[in-house]
């Protein structure tokens, strides 16, 4: 960890994930600059230097870390006028932690390489509570020498690192994991609705399932949210879950793969968003499953 303070890191995007990541980097002794479209959010990272523009944040950075909502935001911040690509020094690294498409990962990797910079896709698994506790699971993809140089960064924000050979592979691995989460939400929603139709209390059934055939931290967390109908406030909004499932299906088409379960989940998520539920928790896909099952509003 002795080289950690020598790395200057700029964090762009201070939402529910970006802000705690930045705070943990400050706590580990890194020199941290921060930028956010809503400048008021820079105050949520004490000890960091707020920057009024992307260019000011990136121009002297060893590493620019982006944690942004989607392809459009990442493209604008990186490739737009006064963006990361124009300001980042030669030899510096853009560490992209957003869950985004394979297409933009390829685009950014090529654009940075042409400028003598490096793009490392490094999506993470974990909700805001794990980000705050520095217990994310980090999936970086790129040159081994660069990943070794960035190891102190990964250690400052996560509990484990799973390196991939290329940025595209890292992005694909994250989409695979998010698809499994989305599919698990669908299975849990259907199983609990199935039991409730027969008179079983959802929390009682969830206790049985998590203690026997289907137990894991993710299942227990999401299953509990579904059983309790506890969808607000959202730690991960349903609309972003839909974005990720859309990315999974787009990637599957590029790879020539049929994913019928992903299509079912996508349709339920689309229904929820169309009905104005895009800002409830991802687990709220269960509301659509319940309605299709003829069940009333979930008890709270």
């Amino acid at each position: 960890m002795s080289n950690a303070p020598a790395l200057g890191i700029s964090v762009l995007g201070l939402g529910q994930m970006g802000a705690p990541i930045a705070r943990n980097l400050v706590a580990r002794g890194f020199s941290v600059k921060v930028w956010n479209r809503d400048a008021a959010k820079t105050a949520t990272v004490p000890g960091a230097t707020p920057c009024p523009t992307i260019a000011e944040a990136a121009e002297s950075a060893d590493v620019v870390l982006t944690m942004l909502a989607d392809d459009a935001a990442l493209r604008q911040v990186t490739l737009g006028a006064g963006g990361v690509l124009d300001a980042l020094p030669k030899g510096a690294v853009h560490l992209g932690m957003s869950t985004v498409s394979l297409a933009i990962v390829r685009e950014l990797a090529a654009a940075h390489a042409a400028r003598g910079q490096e793009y490392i896709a490094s999506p993470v698994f974990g909700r805001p509570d794990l980000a705050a506790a520095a217990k994310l699971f980090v999936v970086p993809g790129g040159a081994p020498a660069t990943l070794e140089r960035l190891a102190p960064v990964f250690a400052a924000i996560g509990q484990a690192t799973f390196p991939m050979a290329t940025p595209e592979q890292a992005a694909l691995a994250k989409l695979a994991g998010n698809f499994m989460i989305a599919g698990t939400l669908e299975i849990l929603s259907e199983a609990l609705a199935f039991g409730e139709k027969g008179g079983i209390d959802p929390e009682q059934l969830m206790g049985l399932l998590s203690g026997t055939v289907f137990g894991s931290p993710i299942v227990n967390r999401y299953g509990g949210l579904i059983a309790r109908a506890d969808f607000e406030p959202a730690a991960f909004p349903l609309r972003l879950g839909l974005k990720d499932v859309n990315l999974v299906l787009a990637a599957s088409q590029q790879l020539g793969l049929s994913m019928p379960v992903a299509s079912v989940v996508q349709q339920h998520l689309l229904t929820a968003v169309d009905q104005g539920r895009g800002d409830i928790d991802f687990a709220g896909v269960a509301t659509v499953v319940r309605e299709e099952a003829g069940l009333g509003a979930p008890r709270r």
Side-chain angles (χ1 to χ4, degrees):
M1 300 292 180
S2 59
N3 64 331
L7 281 176
I9 303 178
S10 292
V11 179
L12 312 184
L14 300 175
Q16 291 191 89
M17 298 293 287
I21 285 172
R23 287 193 289 268
N24 285 327
L25 290 170
V26 170
R28 284 295 188 99
F30 289 93
S31 174
V32 178
K33 294 182 178 180
V34 290
W35 172 88
N36 194 75
R37 194 176 306 277
D38 176 3
K41 288 189 176 180
T42 60
T44 65
V45 188
T49 301
C51 295
T53 66
I54 296 168
E56 186 173 325
E59 63 190 4
S60 61
D62 299 303
V63 179
V64 163
L65 186 161
T66 51
M67 179 58 90
L68 303 163
D70 53 27
D71 282 29
L74 180 58
R75 179 175 283 107
Q76 177 60 38
V77 165
T78 306
L79 304 179
V84 174
L85 187 70
D86 289 339
L88 194 64
K90 187 175 182 179
V93 175
H94 178 180
L95 188 61
M97 291 195 159
S98 309
T99 302
V100 291
S101 70
L102 302 185
I104 196 170
V105 167
R106 296 188 196 107
E107 180 182 358
L108 295 188
H112 281 296
R115 297 289 186 93
Q117 306 155 355
E118 190 168 3
Y119 182 75
I120 299 291
S122 186
V124 296
F125 288 102
R127 287 161 68 100
D129 57 340
L130 290 186
K135 291 186 176 180
L136 294 169
F137 297 94
V138 187
V139 188
T146 306
L147 299 190
E148 183 176 355
R149 179 184 172 212
L150 295 175
V153 178
F154 304 143
I157 66 173
Q159 59 179 296
T161 303
F162 300 87
M164 296 286 162
T166 67
E168 186 176 338
Q169 286 185 7
L172 190 64
K174 179 62 190 325
L175 292 179
N178 279 17
F179 164 65
M180 288 190 67
I181 292 172
T184 298
L185 289 175
E186 179 72 20
I187 291 169
L188 286 168
S189 300
E190 292 184 20
L192 295 178
F194 177 73
E196 190 174 353
K197 286 284 282 189
I200 303 175
D201 178 82
E203 292 191 71
Q204 180 185 12
L205 181 56
M206 188 60 217
L208 166 65
L209 296 176
S210 63
T212 54
V213 298
F214 214 54
S216 79
I218 290 176
V219 170
N220 290 343
R221 176 185 293 272
Y222 276 117
L225 294 178
I226 292 169
R228 298 189 304 274
D230 186 10
F231 307 133
E232 294 180 283
F236 183 71
L238 186 146
R239 58 183 166 77
L240 294 184
L242 173 60
K243 180 265 295 185
D244 290 351
V245 173
N246 288 341
L247 293 176
V248 169
L249 286 167
S252 73
Q253 290 179 352
Q254 295 174 33
L255 298 170
L257 173 69
S258 174
M259 299 183 73
V261 173
S263 297
V264 171
V265 180
Q266 180 194 48
Q267 188 54 56
H268 283 167
L269 292 168
L270 279 169
T271 298
V273 169
D274 288 346
Q275 293 176 349
R277 303 175 199 170
D279 289 322
I280 68 172
D281 196 87
F282 196 10
V285 68
T287 61
V288 176
V289 174
R290 288 180 58 84
E291 288 163 1
E292 291 185 353
L295 291 166
R299 61 178 182 76
R300 290 300 301 271

